[in-house]
Amino acid sequence: MIWVAFLSLLSTSSLVQGMTDVERLELRYEAEDMFYHAYNAYMSNAWPADELMPLSCRGRFRGREPNRGDIDDAMGNFSLTLIDSLDMLVVLGDLEEFEASVKKVINTVSFDSDIVVSVFETNIRIVGGLLSGHVLAELVQAKQKGMSWYRGELLNMAIDCGTRLLPAFNSTTGLPYPRVNLRTGLQGVNSIQLTCTACAGSMILEFAALSRLSGEKIFEEKASKAMDVLWSARHRQSNLVGNVLNVNTGDWVRRDSGVGAGIDSYYEYVAKAYVLLGEDKYLERWNSHYSAVMKYLGSGPLMMDVHMHRPTTNSKHFVDALGAFWPGLQVLMGDLKPAIEQHEVLYQIMKRHNFLPEAVTADFQVHWGQHLLRPEFVESTYFLYKATQDPYYLEVGKKVLKSLQKHARVTCGYAAVKDVRTLQHEDRMDSFVITETFKYLYLLFAKEEDMFLDISQFVFTTEAHLLPLTLARLSNSTAVPVSDDFFYDEDEDVEYEMACPSTRYMFPGHDTLYAGAASLRKPLESLVEDSCPTKRILKRKLTAPEFQSTSEEHLKLVRDMGITIITLPDGRVQLLHTFANAKTPEDGEEGLMFMQEMIDLSRQQSTNTESPPKLVSFKIDGQRHQLQAGPAQFGKDLKNGLTATGKVVMANHVRGCGGSLQNGESMWGKIVIVERGDCMFVEKARVLQSLGAIGGIVMDNTDGTAAASSPLFAMSGDGVDDIKIPMVFLFMKESMKLIEILQEVNELEVTLEEKPEGSDSDFVP
C-alpha cells in the first residue's frame, strides 16, 4: 500500500537538526511522566470509575454525579479510562503494568448493565481499546515477553460489547441509532432517531477488525452497510455530506458541511478503511470527498463550514477544535502542502491563547474558550514531523507540552481548561487525554529504534488505538499472494526521486523537505497576530437568559435568527441554528451568539447544581414509604431541612402545559403530578405555580427507567429565576409505583424533601 510505503520511507529520512538529542530525550521522558502522572492518579483515586475528576481527586461514576447530559453517554461504569489506556502501556514498553491492567479489566469489567450509552463513543473507546489490547497481548506473548496465560479474553470482551451495540443498527436504513441500552438494546431509546455523520460513519475500523479477528462477519457487514448509506446520502452535485440525519428516513436534518464536530471521523474512517482493509471503494470515496472539501472549504486560512447543497455559502462564522485532525489526515493520504499551511494557522492561534480554543471565529477570535486537552492538534503535529523530519514540529510539540504542564497539571492528573482567556480549571479529565494526547506527544519525541513497537505496522483509529495492517490479509477479497522468489532490481536514485514525498517535485529550489515546509509557513507566521477583534457592536434583540419559550414574540425573534425549535418526544427542546435561514446576516450573527449563550447557560446550570437526589415520601397505614426523585435546576431547593407537604392531584391533561389543563381549580395548595413531554420542565412549573400549586412531581415517559439503574437526572431551566415552588422528577418505575398507590389511597399526602446520605435509593416499604 502507498501509505505504508510512505511511512516506512519516512523512517529513513535525514537526522533531526535544530533540537539536540539530549533535549528531545528529556521531552520524551517528560511526556512519559505526564502519562504516568495522569494514569497513576486515575488508578489511585478513581478506578474502577470511568473517569478521574482531577480537582476533586475522585472517580466519576455514571449515576453518582450530577448528569452532564450527552457527555455522560461515553461512560457505562466499565472502567473506561483503564481500557482506553491499555495500548499506551505497550507503546511505553511497560509490559509489567500492561499485564496487570489486562488482568484487572478481565476480572472486574462487565457490560451487563442497564445503562444507556453512546454507540459511537463505546465503539471507539471500549471496543477499540479491547481490540488493540488483544492484538498487543498476543504480540507480547509471541515475543515471549510475558502474557503466557493469555487466551483471548480481551477479544471475547470486545465481542460481548460489540454484540450489545448491534441492536443500534436495527433502523430502516441500516444507520445505527446513536444510543443503546447495554442490557435491553433499543428499549426506551429508539425515539432518539437523529445521529451525526461521524457517529454513524466511525464504526468500520473497529467492527471490521472485530469480524476479522473473531470470524463473526456480522460486525463488518453492519458497519459497511452504514458507510454505504452515508455515501449514498451525500449531495450528488457537491459530493459533501451534512452533519445530522435521521437513521430511519436517511433525510438530512442539518446540512452544514465541514471537517469538524459531527463529520470529522467519518472522513477519517473513509480514508483509513482503505488503508486497513484494502477495499478500493473507500479510496474512490475518499478521493471524491477530498476533492469536494478542498474545493469548497479549502480556499481560506480556516476550513469554514458550508451548506452541502449550496457549497459556496458559509453556514457558520466559526470553526471548532476537532477539525485540527485534518492536516494529519492530509499527510497520511499524501497531500502535504495544504496540511503544512492549515497546521501553521492553527499553531498561530494556539500560541496566542496557550491552547487551541474549542472554537474560533473566521478572524481568529475566541468563539468558545473551553479547552478539553484534546489530541487533534498534537496528532497533526506528529504526522507532519514524520512526513518532513522538520525540527520545527518538535518545537511545536514542545510548546504544547509546556502549556499542558504549566496550565493544566494539577495534583490529581490534568484538568480541562474552562476558558483559555482565564485559564480557570474544570473538574474533568476525559479518557482521550491519556490515550491520545499523551500518546502522540510521546511518539513525537521518541525515536523508533528505541521503541518496543514498530508503529509503522499499525493504523491509528480515531481514538489512537492500534490496529495491525495485517488485518487486510484476513479477508479473502483483499489477500494478495506473493511468491517467495518475488523481487525486482532497485535503482536507488530513481527510487529517491519517485519517493513520496519527493522534495524535488514538491519544493523545487529547496534541498530538504523542512526547508520547503518553512517556505510555506513564512507568509502565515503573522496572519493571526496581525488580526484584530471586530469593532462593530451588535445591538441585541433577545439574549438567552431573557428567552421565554411561551412568548410568541420571543419565538418569532429566534426564528428570525435562523433558529428552529424542536420539541422532542420526552419533552426536551432542541435548538438548531442555520445561518442561511436567518432573516438578515445581522440576525444570523445574533443567532450564533444566542446559541452560544444557551450552551453556556446549560453548562453553568449543570456545573452549579450540586443538589443531591430528592425523595417523595408518604405514609400508608402508619408505615413510611419513599421514592427517590431527581432534582430541578430551578425553583425552591429542597435542602437544609426545607420540605413541601400537601395532598396530591393528577393534572388533566397530564402533560400540564399551558392551555391544556381542565382541572386547574383543584390545584390550589396541592402538589400536582404531571408527565414529561410537550413542553419544557420549567414551563410546567410556571403553569402549576400560576394555579396555586405548592409543588410538582414530573413523571418520566420513557419505558424501563428506574432510580436504581438510571443516572441521576436533574431537570434543567431556561435561566429565568421566577419559579418559587419545588419540582422533582420520578423515573418510570417510581412513577408507576406512585400511580398504583393513588389508585388505592384517596387523598394521598406526600412530602417532597432532600434524600439523606446513605438512605435507600428506590421504593422502600
Side-chain angles (χ1 to χ4, degrees):
M1 297 179 186
I2 294 174
W3 185 79
V4 182
F6 174 40
L7 286 188
S8 299
L9 209 159
L10 297 177
S11 64
T12 63
S13 300
S14 59
L15 295 176
V16 178
Q17 300 175 6
M19 178 178 283
T20 67
D21 286 343
V22 171
E23 183 180 9
R24 183 175 175 184
L25 183 62
E26 289 174 347
L27 290 169
R28 170 192 162 188
Y29 286 147
E30 189 168 0
E32 182 176 342
D33 173 75
M34 293 169 74
F35 167 80
Y36 281 115
H37 178 66
Y39 175 80
N40 291 334
Y42 165 75
M43 294 303 295
S44 300
N45 300 284
W47 181 77
D50 284 323
E51 291 180 354
L52 168 68
M53 299 170 68
L55 302 183
S56 304
C57 286
R58 58 189 172 92
R60 186 185 295 280
F61 287 91
R62 187 84 179 266
R64 297 189 192 176
E65 302 294 331
N67 193 312
R68 299 177 298 171
D70 291 348
I71 299 173
D72 284 345
D73 288 345
M75 304 191 304
N77 291 339
F78 37 36
S79 297
L80 171 63
T81 298
L82 179 59
I83 292 176
D84 228 1
S85 304
L86 289 177
D87 55 11
M88 179 58 177
L89 293 167
V90 182
V91 169
L92 293 170
D94 191 349
L95 305 186
E96 181 178 348
E97 181 63 23
F98 173 69
E99 185 165 353
S101 295
V102 169
K103 289 180 179 178
K104 287 186 177 75
V105 170
I106 294 170
N107 293 329
T108 65
V109 174
S110 171
F111 301 115
D112 186 22
S113 302
D114 187 13
I115 294 179
V116 175
V117 298
S118 161
V119 174
F120 165 73
E121 297 288 359
T122 305
N123 174 61
I124 65 171
R125 301 198 201 195
I126 297 297
V127 176
L130 291 170
L131 289 173
S132 182
H134 164 70
V135 168
L136 297 178
E138 291 200 328
L139 178 64
V140 171
Q141 191 178 66
K143 290 187 174 185
Q144 298 183 346
K145 298 291 186 180
M147 307 292 295
S148 59
W149 54 270
Y150 182 74
R151 296 295 182 270
E153 290 87 348
L154 293 181
L155 177 59
N156 291 334
M157 293 180 71
I159 295 171
D160 179 23
C161 186
T163 301
R164 294 173 187 274
L165 299 182
L166 281 178
F169 291 89
N170 294 336
S171 67
T172 306
T173 63
L175 293 172
Y177 282 86
R179 302 288 185 271
V180 72
N181 186 298
L182 289 174
R183 181 174 291 166
T184 63
L186 290 177
Q187 182 180 340
V189 295
N190 57 357
S191 61
I192 307 174
Q193 301 184 28
L194 303 185
T195 192
C196 71
T197 305
C199 301
S202 303
M203 305 289 290
I204 186 64
L205 294 190
E206 292 84 1
F207 266 38
L210 191 53
S211 285
R212 298 186 184 202
L213 290 170
S214 69
E216 299 289 343
K217 295 182 179 180
I218 187 170
F219 300 106
E220 184 169 356
E221 289 173 352
K222 294 290 187 181
S224 179
K225 171 71 180 301
M227 295 295 277
D228 293 344
V229 173
L230 289 173
W231 171 248
S232 298
R234 77 194 187 282
H235 194 271
R236 298 304 173 92
Q237 278 70 50
S238 69
N239 273 328
L240 297 173
V241 292
N243 201 293
V244 175
L245 73 171
N246 186 297
V247 299
N248 283 313
T249 66
D251 295 332
W252 292 105
V253 177
R254 284 184 52 187
R255 294 171 176 249
D256 43 318
S257 185
V259 296
I263 300 178
D264 49 358
S265 53
Y266 164 68
Y267 287 141
E268 180 184 3
Y269 273 39
V270 170
K272 290 182 178 178
Y274 169 69
V275 174
L276 184 66
L277 309 178
E279 296 182 21
D280 289 340
K281 70 176 184 180
Y282 293 115
L283 180 60
E284 294 167 2
R285 293 174 187 180
W286 163 257
N287 288 333
S288 296
H289 281 318
Y290 185 68
S291 296
V293 168
M294 296 309 293
K295 177 180 179 180
Y296 297 117
L297 280 76
S299 59
L302 291 174
M303 306 285 285
M304 304 296 297
D305 282 17
V306 299
H307 298 284
M308 62 179 286
H309 55 297
R310 295 200 308 274
T312 57
T313 305
N314 286 340
S315 61
K316 292 180 182 177
H317 81 307
F318 64 91
V319 296
D320 61 78
L322 286 169
F325 87 103
W326 186 253
L329 187 60
Q330 289 178 304
V331 171
L332 291 180
M333 301 307 288
D335 200 4
L336 194 57
K337 283 186 174 181
I340 292 171
E341 294 171 334
Q342 180 69 195
H343 178 274
E344 180 62 19
V345 175
L346 295 173
Y347 181 44
Q348 298 300 326
I349 297 171
M350 180 254 166
K351 285 198 297 184
R352 172 184 275 191
H353 302 292
N354 295 300
F355 298 106
L356 197 62
E358 192 70 1
V360 294
T361 61
D363 58 349
F364 314 118
Q365 311 308 316
V366 174
H367 178 71
W368 186 359
Q370 188 182 38
H371 179 70
L372 301 177
L373 317 186
R374 290 194 185 277
E376 286 78 14
F377 179 71
V378 188
E379 175 186 356
S380 289
T381 304
Y382 165 69
F383 284 114
L384 276 165
Y385 174 69
K386 293 288 291 181
T388 63
Q389 294 293 296
D390 188 345
Y392 177 82
Y393 295 109
L394 295 176
E395 296 295 336
V396 173
K398 177 182 176 181
K399 174 72 173 176
V400 174
L401 184 150
K402 296 301 182 182
S403 289
L404 288 168
Q405 292 286 67
K406 182 177 181 180
H407 302 297
R409 186 170 178 133
V410 294
T411 302
C412 292
Y414 290 80
V417 176
K418 193 171 185 179
D419 194 309
V420 297
R421 291 162 291 196
T422 65
L423 297 176
Q424 181 182 354
H425 286 144
E426 192 172 339
D427 200 6
R428 175 177 178 181
M429 187 180 80
D430 292 86
S431 66
F432 57 68
V433 178
I434 291 181
T435 195
E436 293 188 79
T437 305
F438 296 152
K439 183 180 293 173
Y440 285 121
L441 273 177
Y442 177 82
L443 290 173
L444 176 63
F445 299 116
K447 294 186 176 181
E448 294 177 4
E449 59 268 23
D450 298 329
M451 294 180 58
F452 175 77
L453 288 177
D454 181 359
I455 291 294
S456 67
Q457 298 304 307
F458 296 89
V459 171
F460 289 99
T461 69
T462 196
E463 190 73 6
H465 290 309
L466 305 174
L467 296 179
L469 289 165
T470 53
L471 285 176
R473 301 177 189 171
L474 299 180
S475 169
N476 292 332
S477 63
T478 59
V480 182
V482 178
S483 60
D484 292 337
D485 59 352
F486 178 81
F487 69 94
Y488 61 92
D489 293 328
E490 183 176 298
D491 185 319
E492 291 186 1
D493 291 335
V494 172
E495 289 300 311
Y496 176 78
E497 290 304 318
M498 297 300 292
C500 173
S502 167
T503 304
R504 186 172 299 178
Y505 173 76
M506 294 185 65
F507 302 111
H510 297 281
D511 296 331
T512 63
L513 271 175
Y514 50 84
S519 70
L520 290 177
R521 292 192 300 265
K522 184 66 176 175
L524 302 171
E525 62 185 11
S526 299
L527 181 67
V528 175
E529 182 182 342
D530 291 344
S531 67
C532 296
T534 177
K535 296 295 191 296
R536 186 168 62 90
I537 299 176
L538 182 68
K539 184 177 180 181
R540 301 294 302 277
K541 300 172 185 172
L542 180 68
T543 64
E546 298 169 341
F547 175 66
Q548 293 278 356
S549 59
T550 54
S551 167
E552 286 297 329
E553 180 185 358
H554 288 186
L555 292 173
K556 181 181 183 303
L557 286 173
V558 297
R559 284 195 296 268
D560 290 346
M561 297 177 198
I563 297 172
T564 303
I565 302 178
I566 300 173
T567 302
L568 302 177
D570 62 5
R572 290 180 299 156
V573 173
Q574 184 177 42
L575 303 182
L576 299 176
H577 181 255
T578 305
F579 198 92
N581 291 344
K583 189 175 181 180
T584 66
E586 290 74 19
D587 286 325
E589 188 172 343
E590 183 173 5
L592 290 168
M593 297 171 68
F594 183 90
M595 292 292 287
Q596 185 59 49
E597 288 172 348
M598 275 294 190
I599 293 171
D600 293 341
L601 197 61
S602 176
R603 288 178 174 275
Q604 181 181 0
Q605 290 174 343
S606 177
T607 301
N608 292 342
T609 300
E610 299 293 340
S611 180
K614 310 303 178 186
L615 289 177
V616 177
S617 305
F618 47 89
K619 287 184 178 181
I620 301 177
D621 297 330
Q623 276 194 309
R624 187 171 187 267
H625 302 257
Q626 57 190 37
L627 301 169
Q628 178 173 308
Q633 296 175 351
F634 54 85
K636 180 181 178 182
D637 194 359
L638 300 169
K639 63 181 181 179
N640 300 326
L642 289 176
T643 64
T645 301
K647 294 180 180 179
V648 294
V649 61
M650 182 77 71
N652 183 18
H653 184 276
V654 71
R655 291 290 170 88
C657 298
S660 67
L661 290 172
Q662 300 175 21
N663 63 335
E665 69 283 352
S666 66
M667 296 180 182
W668 185 268
K670 304 287 181 59
I671 293 175
V672 184
I673 301 173
V674 296
E675 186 183 62
R676 182 178 190 174
D678 289 351
C679 62
M680 296 174 66
F681 296 118
V682 70
E683 290 179 40
K684 297 177 191 291
R686 288 193 180 102
V687 171
L688 301 189
Q689 181 173 271
S690 69
L691 294 170
I694 62 171
I697 300 171
V698 180
M699 301 186 301
D700 199 2
N701 60 356
T702 302
D703 291 336
T705 60
S709 58
S710 302
L712 179 66
F713 180 80
M715 296 181 289
S716 61
D718 58 5
V720 180
D721 185 19
D722 61 344
I723 306 300
K724 307 303 179 185
I725 63 174
M727 298 287 290
V728 299
F729 179 86
L730 290 180
F731 283 115
M732 179 60 77
K733 180 179 178 181
E734 288 73 28
S735 298
M736 296 307 296
K737 176 61 69 173
L738 181 59
I739 295 297
E740 289 176 17
I741 293 170
L742 283 173
Q743 291 172 349
E744 299 174 0
V745 180
N746 292 325
E747 296 192 344
L748 179 69
E749 185 175 84
V750 304
T751 297
L752 309 183
E753 58 186 321
E754 188 172 57
K755 177 187 175 185
E757 288 190 23
S759 65
D760 293 313
S761 60
D762 53 5
F763 183 73
V764 180

